[in-house]
Coordinates of all heavy atoms in Angstrom, one line a residue:
Chain B
R693 N 58.7 10.9 127.9 CA 59.7 10.0 127.2 C 59.4 10.2 125.7 O 58.3 10.2 125.1 CB 59.3 8.6 127.5 CG 60.2 7.5 126.9 CD 59.7 6.1 127.3 NE 60.4 5.1 126.5 CZ 60.1 3.8 126.4 NH1 59.1 3.4 127.3 NH2 60.8 3.1 125.7
G694 N 60.6 10.2 124.9 CA 60.5 10.4 123.4 C 60.4 11.8 123.0 O 60.5 12.0 121.8
A695 N 60.3 12.8 124.0 CA 60.4 14.1 123.5 C 61.7 14.5 122.8 O 62.7 14.3 123.4 CB 60.1 15.1 124.7
R696 N 61.6 15.2 121.6 CA 62.8 15.5 120.9 C 63.2 17.0 121.2 O 62.3 17.8 121.0 CB 62.6 15.4 119.4 CG 62.5 13.8 119.0 CD 62.5 13.7 117.4 NE 63.8 14.1 117.0 CZ 64.9 13.3 116.9 NH1 64.8 12.1 117.4 NH2 66.0 13.7 116.4
V697 N 64.4 17.1 121.7 CA 64.8 18.6 122.1 C 66.2 18.8 121.6 O 67.0 17.9 121.3 CB 64.8 18.5 123.7 CG1 63.4 18.4 124.3 CG2 65.7 17.6 124.3
R698 N 66.5 20.1 121.5 CA 67.8 20.7 121.2 C 68.3 21.5 122.3 O 67.5 22.3 122.8 CB 67.8 21.4 119.9 CG 67.7 20.6 118.7 CD 67.5 21.4 117.5 NE 68.5 22.4 117.2 CZ 68.4 23.3 116.3 NH1 67.2 23.5 115.5 NH2 69.4 24.2 116.2
F699 N 69.5 21.4 122.7 CA 70.0 22.2 123.8 C 71.0 23.2 123.2 O 71.3 23.2 122.0 CB 70.9 21.3 124.9 CG 70.0 20.4 125.6 CD1 69.7 19.1 125.2 CD2 69.6 20.7 126.8 CE1 68.9 18.3 125.9 CE2 68.7 19.9 127.7 CZ 68.4 18.7 127.1
E700 N 71.4 24.2 124.1 CA 72.3 25.2 123.6 C 73.7 24.9 123.8 O 74.2 24.3 124.9 CB 71.9 26.5 124.5 CG 72.6 27.8 124.0 CD 72.1 29.0 124.9 OE1 71.3 28.9 125.6 OE2 72.7 30.0 124.6
A701 N 74.5 25.1 122.7 CA 76.0 24.8 122.8 C 76.6 25.7 123.9 O 76.3 26.9 124.0 CB 76.6 25.0 121.5
G702 N 77.7 25.0 124.6 CA 78.4 25.8 125.6 C 77.7 25.8 127.0 O 78.3 26.3 128.0
R703 N 76.4 25.4 127.1 CA 75.7 25.5 128.4 C 76.0 24.1 129.1 O 76.2 23.1 128.5 CB 74.3 25.7 128.2 CG 74.0 27.1 127.6 CD 74.4 28.1 128.6 NE 74.0 29.5 128.1 CZ 74.2 30.6 128.7 NH1 74.9 30.6 129.9 NH2 73.9 31.7 128.2
R704 N 75.9 24.2 130.4 CA 76.0 22.9 131.3 C 75.0 21.9 130.9 O 73.8 22.2 130.7 CB 75.9 23.3 132.7 CG 77.1 23.9 133.4 CD 77.0 24.0 134.8 NE 78.2 24.4 135.4 CZ 78.7 25.6 135.7 NH1 78.0 26.6 135.3 NH2 79.9 25.7 136.3
V705 N 75.5 20.6 130.9 CA 74.5 19.5 130.8 C 73.6 19.4 132.1 O 74.3 19.2 133.2 CB 75.2 18.2 130.6 CG1 74.2 17.0 130.4 CG2 76.0 18.3 129.3
P706 N 72.3 19.6 132.2 CA 71.6 19.7 133.3 C 71.7 18.4 134.3 O 71.5 18.6 135.4 CB 70.2 20.0 133.0 CG 70.1 19.7 131.5 CD 71.5 19.8 131.0
T707 N 71.9 17.2 133.7 CA 71.9 16.1 134.5 C 73.2 15.6 134.9 O 73.4 14.6 135.7 CB 71.2 14.9 133.7 OG1 71.8 14.9 132.4 CG2 69.7 15.0 133.7
A708 N 74.3 16.3 134.4 CA 75.7 15.9 134.7 C 76.2 16.6 135.9 O 75.6 17.5 136.4 CB 76.6 16.2 133.5
A709 N 77.4 16.2 136.4 CA 78.0 17.0 137.5 C 78.3 18.4 137.0 O 78.5 18.6 135.9 CB 79.4 16.2 137.9
P710 N 78.3 19.3 138.0 CA 78.4 20.7 137.5 C 79.7 21.1 137.0 O 79.9 21.9 136.1 CB 78.1 21.5 138.8 CG 78.2 20.5 140.0 CD 77.9 19.3 139.4
S711 N 80.8 20.4 137.4 CA 82.1 20.6 136.9 C 82.9 19.3 136.8 O 82.5 18.3 137.4 CB 82.8 21.6 137.8 OG 83.1 21.0 139.0
G712 N 84.1 19.4 136.2 CA 85.1 18.3 136.2 C 85.5 17.8 137.6 O 85.6 16.6 137.9
V713 N 85.7 18.9 138.4 CA 86.2 18.6 139.8 C 85.1 17.8 140.6 O 85.3 16.8 141.3 CB 86.5 19.8 140.5 CG1 86.9 19.6 142.0 CG2 87.7 20.6 139.9
A714 N 83.8 18.2 140.4 CA 82.8 17.6 141.1 C 82.6 16.2 140.5 O 82.4 15.2 141.3 CB 81.4 18.3 140.8
W715 N 82.8 15.9 139.3 CA 82.8 14.6 138.7 C 83.9 13.7 139.2 O 83.7 12.6 139.7 CB 82.9 14.6 137.2 CG 83.1 13.3 136.5 CD1 82.2 12.4 136.2 CD2 84.4 12.7 136.2 NE1 82.7 11.2 135.7 CE2 84.1 11.4 135.7 CE3 85.7 13.0 136.3 CZ2 85.0 10.5 135.3 CZ3 86.7 12.2 135.9 CH2 86.3 10.9 135.4
A716 N 85.1 14.3 139.4 CA 86.2 13.5 139.8 C 86.2 13.1 141.3 O 86.5 12.0 141.7 CB 87.5 14.2 139.5
D717 N 85.7 14.1 142.1 CA 85.8 13.9 143.6 C 84.5 13.5 144.2 O 84.4 13.4 145.4 CB 86.3 15.2 144.2 CG 87.7 15.5 143.7 OD1 88.4 14.6 143.2 OD2 88.1 16.7 143.8
G718 N 83.4 13.3 143.3 CA 82.1 12.9 143.9 C 81.3 14.1 144.3 O 81.8 15.1 144.6
R719 N 80.0 13.8 144.4 CA 79.1 14.9 144.7 C 78.6 14.9 146.0 O 77.8 14.0 146.4 CB 78.0 15.0 143.6 CG 78.4 15.7 142.4 CD 77.3 15.6 141.4 NE 77.2 14.4 140.6 CZ 76.4 14.2 139.6 NH1 75.5 15.1 139.3 NH2 76.5 13.1 138.9
G720 N 79.0 15.7 146.9 CA 78.3 16.0 148.2 C 77.8 14.9 149.1 O 76.7 14.8 149.4
R721 N 78.7 13.9 149.3 CA 78.3 12.9 150.2 C 79.1 13.0 151.5 O 80.3 13.3 151.5 CB 78.6 11.4 149.6 CG 77.5 10.9 148.8 CD 78.0 9.6 148.3 NE 76.9 8.8 147.6 CZ 77.1 7.6 147.2 NH1 78.3 6.9 147.4 NH2 76.1 6.9 146.6
S722 N 78.5 12.7 152.6 CA 79.3 12.8 153.9 C 80.2 11.5 154.1 O 80.0 10.6 153.2 CB 78.3 12.8 155.1 OG 77.6 11.5 155.1
T723 N 81.1 11.6 155.0 CA 82.1 10.5 155.3 C 81.2 9.2 155.5 O 81.6 8.2 155.1 CB 83.0 10.9 156.3 OG1 83.6 12.2 156.1 CG2 84.0 9.8 156.6
V724 N 80.2 9.3 156.4 CA 79.4 8.2 156.8 C 78.7 7.5 155.6 O 78.8 6.3 155.4 CB 78.4 8.5 157.9 CG1 77.5 7.4 158.3 CG2 79.0 9.1 159.1
E725 N 78.2 8.4 154.8 CA 77.5 7.9 153.5 C 78.5 7.2 152.5 O 78.2 6.2 152.0 CB 76.8 9.0 152.7 CG 75.6 9.5 153.4 CD 75.0 10.8 152.9 OE1 75.8 11.5 152.2 OE2 73.8 11.0 153.0
R726 N 79.7 7.8 152.4 CA 80.7 7.1 151.6 C 81.1 5.9 152.2 O 81.4 4.8 151.5 CB 81.9 8.1 151.5 CG 81.7 9.3 150.6 CD 83.0 9.8 150.1 NE 84.0 10.2 151.1 CZ 84.2 11.4 151.6 NH1 83.4 12.3 151.2 NH2 85.0 11.6 152.6
L727 N 81.3 5.7 153.6 CA 81.7 4.5 154.1 C 80.6 3.4 154.0 O 80.9 2.3 153.7 CB 82.0 4.7 155.6 CG 82.4 3.6 156.4 CD1 83.7 2.9 156.0 CD2 82.4 3.8 157.9
A728 N 79.4 3.8 154.2 CA 78.3 2.8 154.0 C 78.2 2.4 152.6 O 78.1 1.2 152.4 CB 77.0 3.6 154.4
A729 N 78.4 3.3 151.7 CA 78.4 2.8 150.2 C 79.5 1.9 150.0 O 79.3 0.8 149.3 CB 78.5 4.0 149.3
A730 N 80.7 2.1 150.4 CA 81.9 1.3 150.2 C 81.6 0.0 150.8 O 82.0 -1.1 150.2 CB 83.1 2.0 150.7
L731 N 81.2 -0.1 152.1 CA 81.0 -1.4 152.8 C 79.9 -2.2 152.2 O 80.1 -3.4 152.0 CB 80.8 -1.2 154.3 CG 81.9 -0.7 155.1 CD1 81.5 -0.4 156.6 CD2 83.1 -1.7 155.1
G732 N 78.8 -1.5 151.8 CA 77.7 -2.2 151.1 C 78.1 -2.9 149.8 O 77.9 -4.0 149.6
I733 N 78.9 -2.2 149.1 CA 79.4 -2.8 147.8 C 80.3 -3.8 148.0 O 80.3 -4.9 147.4 CB 80.0 -1.6 146.9 CG1 78.9 -0.7 146.4 CG2 80.8 -2.2 145.7 CD1 79.5 0.7 145.9
L734 N 81.3 -3.7 149.0 CA 82.4 -4.7 149.2 C 81.7 -6.0 149.7 O 82.1 -7.0 149.3 CB 83.3 -4.1 150.3 CG 84.4 -3.2 149.7 CD1 85.4 -2.8 150.8 CD2 85.3 -3.9 148.6
V735 N 80.8 -5.8 150.7 CA 80.2 -7.1 151.3 C 79.4 -7.8 150.2 O 79.5 -9.0 150.0 CB 79.3 -6.7 152.5 CG1 78.5 -7.9 153.0 CG2 80.2 -6.1 153.6
A736 N 78.6 -7.0 149.4 CA 77.8 -7.7 148.4 C 78.6 -8.3 147.3 O 78.4 -9.5 147.0 CB 76.7 -6.7 147.8
V737 N 79.5 -7.5 146.7 CA 80.2 -8.0 145.5 C 81.2 -9.1 145.9 O 81.4 -10.2 145.2 CB 80.9 -6.8 144.8 CG1 81.7 -7.3 143.7 CG2 79.9 -5.8 144.3
V738 N 81.9 -8.9 147.0 CA 82.9 -9.9 147.4 C 82.2 -11.2 147.9 O 82.6 -12.2 147.4 CB 84.0 -9.4 148.5 CG1 84.8 -10.4 149.0 CG2 84.8 -8.3 147.9
G739 N 81.2 -11.0 148.8 CA 80.5 -12.2 149.3 C 79.9 -13.0 148.3 O 79.9 -14.2 148.2
G740 N 79.1 -12.2 147.4 CA 78.3 -12.9 146.3 C 79.3 -13.4 145.2 O 79.0 -14.5 144.7
G741 N 80.3 -12.6 144.9 CA 81.2 -13.0 143.8 C 82.0 -14.2 144.1 O 82.2 -15.0 143.2
V742 N 82.4 -14.4 145.4 CA 83.2 -15.5 145.8 C 82.4 -16.8 145.5 O 82.9 -17.8 145.0 CB 83.5 -15.4 147.2 CG1 84.0 -16.8 147.9 CG2 84.7 -14.4 147.5
A743 N 81.1 -16.8 145.8 CA 80.2 -17.9 145.6 C 80.1 -18.3 144.1 O 79.7 -19.4 143.9 CB 78.9 -17.6 146.2
L744 N 80.3 -17.4 143.2 CA 80.1 -17.7 141.8 C 81.3 -18.0 141.1 O 81.4 -18.4 139.9 CB 79.4 -16.5 141.2 CG 78.1 -16.1 141.7 CD1 77.6 -14.8 141.1 CD2 77.1 -17.2 141.7
A745 N 82.5 -17.8 141.7 CA 83.9 -18.1 141.0 C 84.0 -19.6 140.8 O 83.8 -20.3 141.8 CB 85.0 -17.5 141.8
P746 N 84.3 -20.0 139.6 CA 84.5 -21.5 139.4 C 85.9 -21.9 139.9 O 86.9 -21.1 140.1 CB 84.4 -21.6 137.9 CG 85.0 -20.3 137.4 CD 84.6 -19.2 138.4
A747 N 85.9 -23.2 140.2 CA 87.3 -23.9 140.4 C 88.0 -24.0 139.1 O 87.4 -24.3 138.1 CB 87.0 -25.2 141.2
L748 N 89.2 -23.8 139.1 CA 90.1 -23.9 137.9 C 90.3 -25.3 137.4 O 90.6 -26.2 138.2 CB 91.4 -23.2 138.0 CG 91.3 -21.7 138.2 CD1 92.7 -21.1 138.3 CD2 90.6 -21.0 137.1
A749 N 90.0 -25.5 136.1 CA 90.1 -26.9 135.7 C 91.5 -27.3 135.2 O 92.0 -28.4 135.4 CB 89.1 -27.1 134.5
A750 N 92.1 -26.3 134.5 CA 93.5 -26.5 133.9 C 94.4 -25.6 134.6 O 94.6 -24.5 134.2 CB 93.6 -26.3 132.5
P751 N 94.8 -26.0 135.8 CA 95.4 -25.0 136.8 C 96.6 -24.1 136.3 O 96.5 -22.9 136.4 CB 95.9 -25.8 137.9 CG 95.1 -27.2 137.8 CD 94.9 -27.2 136.3
A752 N 97.6 -24.7 135.6 CA 98.9 -23.9 135.4 C 98.6 -22.8 134.4 O 98.9 -21.7 134.7 CB 99.9 -24.9 134.8
L753 N 97.8 -23.1 133.3 CA 97.6 -22.1 132.3 C 96.5 -21.1 132.8 O 96.6 -19.9 132.7 CB 97.1 -22.7 131.0 CG 96.8 -21.8 129.8 CD1 98.1 -21.0 129.5 CD2 96.3 -22.6 128.7
A754 N 95.4 -21.7 133.4 CA 94.3 -20.9 133.9 C 94.7 -20.0 135.0 O 94.1 -19.0 135.1 CB 93.2 -21.8 134.3
A755 N 95.7 -20.4 135.8 CA 96.1 -19.6 137.0 C 96.6 -18.2 136.5 O 96.6 -17.3 137.2 CB 97.1 -20.3 137.8
V756 N 97.2 -18.2 135.3 CA 97.7 -16.9 134.7 C 96.6 -16.2 133.9 O 96.4 -15.1 134.0 CB 99.0 -17.2 133.8 CG1 99.5 -15.9 133.3 CG2 100.0 -17.8 134.7
V757 N 96.0 -17.1 133.0 CA 95.0 -16.4 132.0 C 93.7 -15.9 132.6 O 93.4 -14.7 132.3 CB 94.7 -17.5 131.0 CG1 93.6 -16.9 130.0 CG2 96.0 -17.8 130.2
V758 N 93.2 -16.6 133.5 CA 91.9 -16.2 134.1 C 92.0 -14.8 134.8 O 91.3 -13.9 134.5 CB 91.2 -17.2 134.9 CG1 90.0 -16.8 135.7 CG2 90.9 -18.4 134.1
P759 N 93.0 -14.7 135.7 CA 93.1 -13.4 136.4 C 93.4 -12.2 135.4 O 92.9 -11.1 135.5 CB 94.2 -13.6 137.4 CG 94.3 -15.1 137.7 CD 93.9 -15.6 136.4
L760 N 94.2 -12.5 134.4 CA 94.6 -11.4 133.5 C 93.5 -11.1 132.6 O 93.3 -9.8 132.4 CB 95.8 -11.9 132.6 CG 97.2 -11.9 133.4 CD1 98.2 -12.4 132.4 CD2 97.5 -10.6 133.9
V761 N 92.6 -12.0 132.2 CA 91.4 -11.7 131.3 C 90.5 -10.9 132.2 O 89.9 -9.8 131.7 CB 90.7 -13.0 130.9 CG1 89.3 -12.7 130.3 CG2 91.6 -13.7 129.7
L762 N 90.3 -11.3 133.4 CA 89.4 -10.5 134.3 C 89.9 -9.1 134.5 O 89.2 -8.1 134.4 CB 89.4 -11.2 135.7 CG 88.7 -10.6 136.9 CD1 87.1 -10.6 136.6 CD2 89.1 -11.1 138.2
L763 N 91.2 -8.9 134.8 CA 91.7 -7.5 134.8 C 91.6 -6.8 133.7 O 91.2 -5.5 133.7 CB 93.3 -7.7 135.3 CG 94.0 -6.3 135.4 CD1 93.5 -5.5 136.6 CD2 95.5 -6.5 135.6
T764 N 91.9 -7.3 132.5 CA 91.7 -6.6 131.2 C 90.2 -6.2 131.0 O 89.9 -5.1 130.6 CB 92.2 -7.5 130.1 OG1 93.4 -8.0 130.4 CG2 92.2 -6.7 128.7
F765 N 89.4 -7.1 131.3 CA 87.9 -6.8 131.0 C 87.4 -5.6 131.9 O 86.8 -4.7 131.5 CB 87.1 -8.1 131.3 CG 85.6 -7.9 130.9 CD1 85.2 -7.8 129.7 CD2 84.7 -7.9 132.0 CE1 83.9 -7.6 129.4 CE2 83.4 -7.7 131.7 CZ 83.0 -7.6 130.3

Side-chain angles (χ1 to χ4, degrees):
Chain B
R693 180 182 169 189
R696 292 189 65 84
V697 295
R698 284 169 59 193
F699 290 88
E700 190 178 352
R703 294 295 183 181
R704 281 189 168 90
V705 179
T707 47
S711 67
V713 174
W715 170 83
D717 298 340
R719 280 178 274 182
R721 273 183 173 183
S722 69
T723 306
V724 174
E725 286 172 332
R726 286 204 305 265
L727 177 64
L731 286 178
I733 288 165
L734 280 177
V735 174
V737 174
V738 172
V742 162
L744 303 177
L748 293 180
L753 182 64
V756 179
V757 172
V758 172
L760 287 179
V761 168
L762 175 72
L763 179 65
T764 309
F765 183 69

